[in-house]
Amino acid sequence: MRLKSLVFGLGICLNISAYAADPIKIGIPVGLSGANSVVAPSVVQASELAVAEINAKGGVIGRPLQLEIADDGSGAQGAQRAYDSLVYQKEVDGIVAMETTAARNAGLPIVNRGRVPLIYTSFYEGRSCSPWMYINAWVPEQQVEPIVDQFMSEYDAKKFFLIGSDYAFGRGMLKFTREYVESKGGTVVGESYLPIEGSDWTAIISQLRSANPDALITSTSGGAPNVTLTRQLRSAGVDIPYGNYAIDEGTAKSMGGNAEGVYLAASYISSLDTPANREFLQAIKDKFGDDAETPNELSVPQYDGIYAYAAAVEKAGSTEPSAVIDALSEVTVEGPRGAIKMDKQRHAALTMYLGKVASDGSVEVVKSFKNVDPGEQCPQFAD
């Protein structure tokens, strides 16, 4: 056992002892190019850290974990190629994926045909259901209310303007937002969309200024669209309460002063002062040094997702897909976000944090909300 620890501590793969067994392959389709390329490096690092930690402790059922990373291009066509490669060429045992909704929707039919367990780790618009998929990130029922309520109570906002990327996530999140705003007695005075790869928000910002809202809420594809939209809002002098559903801490830091004052709601903020989060942050620093990416709401669920897959395999005693799927609703991951269990119709109750971006790009926690239920997502999978 000492020899095995030494071998994997040195990163050398020798054909000895328990690790003579084939590795357990985990596919990681992620947007190394396209809109998500801004956040993909942090997601890859989180995946690599989780696998390194698990392998250092002996792997899973006597087998090491091995990552197979594929660029999904942040969209549907790239995702089809990435999933085909992972499922049918690499023959991965499971997939843990932080992706756009467009990429996920394109990959799901391949997952279903290949019968490969998938843990989706990106926040999304909700109600995507597959017998082969679990989700450990937030849905609208967990994310919208903190921001809208804050604007109504803190800033007396009654008129809202909504801006999104023109695809399922952008439209789904803003549809839920409109309904929630109206249920609270507010009004939506404008709602506009730009194609997912679009970067010129000039016409939409003109509509926003003409509508004269009290508050702005955006739901883009994340990454690059957040950077371009926020920069152009600031250049246009837009200075109203601004809530962003898709911004992550790494992107906020890269945006400098443009992100200051933006509100977000998340299940993870890097400033959380807990033993588990302090240990995680130190591990990231130790492994990647000066190259470490800022841990964020997209990379930490990915880290948790790797651990959830490993725990399910351990509980099932094998990588047999149906057994792993059954086990995923029974395992709990104790990570930087706290205890996460995906037993709410294949989703998870999450502690949510309302955050506000500071001048240095860090996020200050304004309020917290314990164990927010995801609501009715996939009732066909209810116990």
Side-chain angles (χ1 to χ4, degrees):
M1 198 66 180
R2 180 181 176 188
L3 179 57
K4 284 186 289 180
S5 298
L6 176 60
V7 168
F8 280 91
L10 292 173
I12 302 171
C13 185
L14 299 180
N15 189 25
I16 61 170
S17 195
Y19 282 163
D22 290 336
I24 297 171
K25 295 183 181 181
I26 300 179
I28 310 292
V30 65
L32 300 176
S33 60
N36 270 355
S37 60
V38 175
V39 298
S42 65
V43 173
V44 172
Q45 284 191 355
S47 303
E48 291 173 344
L49 176 62
V51 165
E53 290 176 341
I54 293 167
N55 284 345
K57 295 175 183 176
V60 181
I61 58 172
R63 298 167 62 186
L65 300 182
Q66 176 180 306
L67 294 180
E68 297 288 350
I69 298 172
D71 182 13
D72 67 17
S74 303
Q77 290 185 341
Q80 288 175 343
R81 291 191 294 270
Y83 275 81
D84 273 333
S85 173
L86 292 172
V87 172
Y88 296 116
Q89 296 176 32
K90 301 295 187 180
E91 296 184 337
V92 297
D93 298 289
I95 295 174
V96 182
M98 192 299 294
E99 299 183 288
T100 65
T101 285
R104 183 198 69 244
N105 286 344
L108 266 179
I110 300 169
V111 164
N112 292 339
R113 289 196 302 271
R115 297 167 60 88
V116 178
L118 164 65
I119 300 175
Y120 185 61
T121 66
S122 175
F123 49 75
Y124 84 115
E125 70 284 353
R127 295 170 178 79
S128 182
C129 306
S130 160
W132 297 101
M133 181 171 68
Y134 278 76
I135 296 95
N136 73 353
W138 59 250
V139 291
E141 286 84 345
Q142 296 164 308
Q143 211 259 359
V144 169
E145 183 175 335
I147 294 177
V148 172
D149 286 359
Q150 177 73 7
F151 288 176
M152 286 185 163
S153 62
E154 182 73 13
Y155 300 101
D156 196 30
K158 296 180 174 62
K159 299 184 298 179
F160 289 75
F161 197 95
L162 311 180
I163 298 176
S165 291
D166 193 6
Y167 76 124
F169 174 73
R171 288 189 175 275
M173 289 298 300
L174 295 186
K175 177 179 183 294
F176 190 97
T177 301
R178 174 185 285 274
E179 292 170 352
Y180 185 73
V181 165
E182 292 173 349
S183 76
K184 301 288 286 187
T187 59
V188 173
V189 296
E191 183 174 344
S192 294
Y193 296 88
L194 198 68
I196 190 170
E197 296 290 353
S199 60
D200 185 357
W201 303 88
T202 306
I204 291 176
I205 292 173
S206 178
Q207 295 170 24
L208 163 69
R209 294 172 68 91
S210 297
N212 193 31
D214 301 319
L216 165 67
I217 293 178
T218 66
S219 181
T220 70
S221 59
N226 277 329
V227 176
T228 58
L229 172 57
T230 305
R231 182 191 302 127
Q232 290 170 43
L233 285 167
R234 298 314 191 202
S235 296
V238 175
D239 187 24
I240 56 177
Y242 172 14
N244 188 315
Y245 290 152
I247 195 168
D248 66 280
E249 289 183 74
T251 303
K253 284 185 179 295
S254 74
M255 290 162 63
N258 285 333
E260 183 177 2
V262 173
Y263 281 87
L264 56 90
S267 65
Y268 176 80
I269 292 176
S270 63
S271 61
L272 295 178
D273 188 18
T274 65
N277 189 45
R278 289 194 297 271
E279 181 179 346
F280 170 74
L281 293 175
Q282 187 62 50
I284 284 281
K285 181 179 179 181
D286 291 344
K287 182 169 178 59
F288 299 104
D290 293 340
D291 294 326
E293 299 286 337
T294 302
N296 58 72
E297 177 70 337
L298 295 166
S299 68
V300 171
Q302 180 77 10
Y303 176 85
D304 288 342
I306 299 285
Y307 268 95
Y309 178 76
V313 170
E314 195 72 53
K315 185 173 184 62
S318 78
T319 58
E320 197 282 315
S322 295
V324 173
I325 284 293
D326 289 343
L328 277 170
S329 65
E330 301 175 8
V331 298
T332 299
V333 171
E334 294 280 353
R337 298 188 293 166
I340 308 294
K341 187 177 184 183
M342 297 178 288
D343 61 347
K344 302 284 186 175
Q345 299 176 15
R346 303 287 181 91
H347 291 68
L350 300 169
T351 293
M352 298 294 294
Y353 302 93
L354 178 68
K356 186 176 183 181
V357 181
S359 59
D360 63 354
S362 64
V363 177
E364 302 170 349
V365 176
V366 178
K367 295 177 182 176
S368 62
F369 308 84
K370 294 289 187 183
N371 298 321
V372 182
D373 194 282
E376 289 291 307
Q377 295 297 325
C378 300
Q380 64 269 44
F381 299 130
D383 291 336

